[in-house]
Amino acid sequence: MTARYSVLTITLHWLIALLVLFQFVSINILDGMAEGDPRIGTGYMLHKSVGITILVLTLVRIVTRLAEGFRPLPVHMAAWERVLARATHIGFYVFLVLIPLSGWAFAVTDERSLHLFGLFQIPELGLVPRQLWHEVHEQAPALLVILFVLHVLGALKHQFLDRDAILARMLPGAGRG
């Protein structure tokens, strides 16, 4: 029941989490900049590049998760807790694909290209209507925040109320030796 996740899974979990946090901070900084600020273009290019990186890392995470399988949940968990835990994880995967994909779909056009970290050009997706993808990209992060809150509350419940080893399975360095 307390089998740890692989180093790859733990690394992807925390790297994606940090990159998502970066995205929330960066977009708030960009939204607060004065119109015409010369740093805005670079800031949005970085935001888009990190978004594509999150998309790729999430796809790797999904493949890894399918290959490694799902860890068993503690037997003491009620059925509704099991459903909520699985739904939260699946929801994360959906939104961590949907949000960057929607940003790519509306923000990368022939007129507004994206050079991933200045290394190579990312092509336009051509998904229409662009306004729908823009709306998804604007609204979906609020749902991601709700999932994050549920996820953290669940981890804290396991750590401090249930006192099981669920949290330790995903903490870097926990449970070694």
Side-chain angles (χ1 to χ4, degrees):
M1 185 218 39
T2 60
R4 286 185 48 76
Y5 288 97
S6 69
V7 172
L8 177 59
T9 296
I10 293 170
T11 302
L12 288 169
H13 175 273
W14 292 104
L15 181 57
I16 291 168
L18 289 172
L19 291 173
V20 168
L21 177 62
F22 172 85
Q23 291 294 75
F24 276 100
V25 170
S26 71
I27 203 63
N28 281 304
I29 290 170
L30 288 167
D31 286 347
M33 288 182 165
E35 190 174 327
D37 189 317
R39 299 171 295 174
I40 290 176
T42 301
Y44 275 108
M45 193 64 67
L46 181 60
H47 182 80
K48 293 175 192 178
S49 292
V50 171
I52 297 294
T53 302
I54 290 170
L55 175 62
V56 170
L57 291 174
T58 300
L59 294 174
V60 171
R61 174 87 193 275
I62 291 169
V63 169
T64 303
R65 180 78 183 249
L66 293 173
E68 292 180 356
F70 289 82
R71 297 292 187 267
L73 295 171
V75 294
H76 64 78
M77 287 178 66
W80 69 268
E81 290 176 303
R82 291 171 179 276
V83 169
L84 186 60
R86 293 295 188 226
T88 300
H89 284 117
I90 291 168
F92 268 125
Y93 295 134
V94 167
F95 285 107
L96 290 173
V97 169
L98 183 63
I99 294 169
L101 190 64
S102 63
W104 183 0
F106 92 84
V108 180
T109 66
D110 288 336
E111 296 81 34
R112 292 185 306 192
S113 64
L114 168 59
H115 287 81
L116 191 73
F117 297 110
L119 300 173
F120 56 88
Q121 187 165 339
I122 299 293
E124 175 182 359
L125 277 179
L127 299 177
V128 291
R130 275 203 165 79
Q131 187 54 38
L132 170 68
W133 292 110
H134 184 263
E135 196 63 31
V136 167
H137 194 73
E138 291 286 317
Q139 301 304 318
L143 297 172
L144 187 65
V145 169
I146 292 169
L147 288 175
F148 170 78
V149 169
L150 286 172
H151 188 63
V152 169
L153 288 174
L156 294 173
K157 175 195 173 287
H158 282 287
Q159 183 67 23
F160 297 110
L161 296 179
D162 298 341
R163 296 185 184 273
D164 56 28
I166 292 296
L167 181 59
R169 299 190 312 187
M170 191 55 81
L171 289 177
R176 291 195 183 145

